[in-house]
Amino acid sequence: MAKQLPYPIMREIFTRFQTAEAEPEGELEHVNAYTLVVAVALSAQATDAGVNKATRGLFAVADTPQKMLDLGLETVTEHIKTIGLFRQKAKNVIKLSQMIVDDYDGQVPSSRAALIRLPGVGRKTANVVLNMWFNHPAQAVDTHIFRVGNRAGIAPGKDVDAVERAIEDHVPVEFQHHAHHWMILHGRYICVARKPKCGACLIRDLCLFEDKTDPA
């Protein structure tokens, strides 16, 4: 596990990320808080592109919990059958929609504890929703962030909870809101798992990763 980078270098890293893309956005398509919850829940063990392909037709006819319930389990399952674990995910979509209707008057709750109560919604999904929709500086740690955090020394940790805490503790506060988006995009397109594109990396000179590829 990499060492934690010092504060001045952390500031420089996120200043560079911000300069390159001031307002990074998540790649899951959604039209409101509810469709964001569903999209993120569906994205577990699936690509954002694959989820978007499946949900375009689904969200066109069901963009509220009640509309989703009106569709019913069979139709929801048919819409998302190209996504991994689609049968269980369809059941979760119906269950979480029912809970939102019954317990939250049809409105997506804005607290982490309430979001995690929803079937199929874990801490990562809750943090994505809190960050992207409710503008909370919550850090949703996925495989990309876990890799970048440990490889570069931005947020080292033995598990996702430790990496989440490291981001919260060490990323300068003015960068907290977009931190996880910058790290996800960096991990998805530059700091990839098998052969990171170090020659194209804008933080190459600051990163602690020893086995750099593609010499600049």
Side-chain angles (χ1 to χ4, degrees), residues 15 21 26-27 29 31 50 52 74 76 85 115 125 129 131 137-138 149-150 162 172-174 178 189 201-202 212:
T15 296
E21 189 168 5
E27 296 182 330
E29 297 173 5
V31 297
N52 290 339
E74 185 175 343
V76 172
L85 306 176
L115 285 166
T125 297
V129 175
N131 184 288
N150 279 288
V173 66
E174 63 266 37
H178 290 313
Y189 297 111
C201 177
L202 55 78
K212 290 185 172 66

Side-chain angles (χ1 to χ4, degrees), residues 9-55:
I9 294 179
M10 293 286 286
R11 174 171 290 283
E12 176 62 21
I13 284 174
F14 284 94
T15 296
R16 293 184 189 182
F17 284 151
Q18 184 180 61
T19 300
E21 189 168 5
E23 295 291 333
E25 296 181 354
E27 296 182 330
L28 286 172
E29 297 173 5
H30 60 282
V31 297
N32 54 30
Y34 170 70
T35 54
L36 178 59
V37 170
V38 173
V40 181
L42 293 177
S43 71
Q45 300 182 39
T47 66
D48 287 0
V51 172
N52 290 339
K53 184 176 180 181
T55 57

Side-chain angles (χ1 to χ4, degrees), residues 78-130:
E78 182 66 21
H79 271 285
I80 68 169
K81 65 182 181 181
T82 57
I83 301 175
L85 306 176
F86 68 96
R87 295 188 188 281
Q88 183 58 51
K89 288 179 179 179
K91 292 177 182 178
N92 285 338
V93 168
I94 292 296
K95 290 178 181 177
L96 73 83
S97 299
Q98 190 69 62
M99 184 176 288
I100 291 173
V101 169
D102 292 345
D103 295 357
Y104 302 107
D105 196 28
Q107 302 299 311
V108 173
S110 59
S111 78
R112 182 184 286 114
L115 285 166
I116 291 176
R117 285 189 64 226
L118 301 175
V121 175
R123 185 179 180 89
K124 185 185 79 171
T125 297
N127 282 351
V128 171
V129 175
L130 289 172

Side-chain angles (χ1 to χ4, degrees), residues 179-191:
H180 91 277
H181 277 134
W182 284 316
M183 293 175 70
I184 285 172
L185 294 173
H186 190 66
R188 183 172 290 162
Y189 297 111
I190 301 296
C191 195

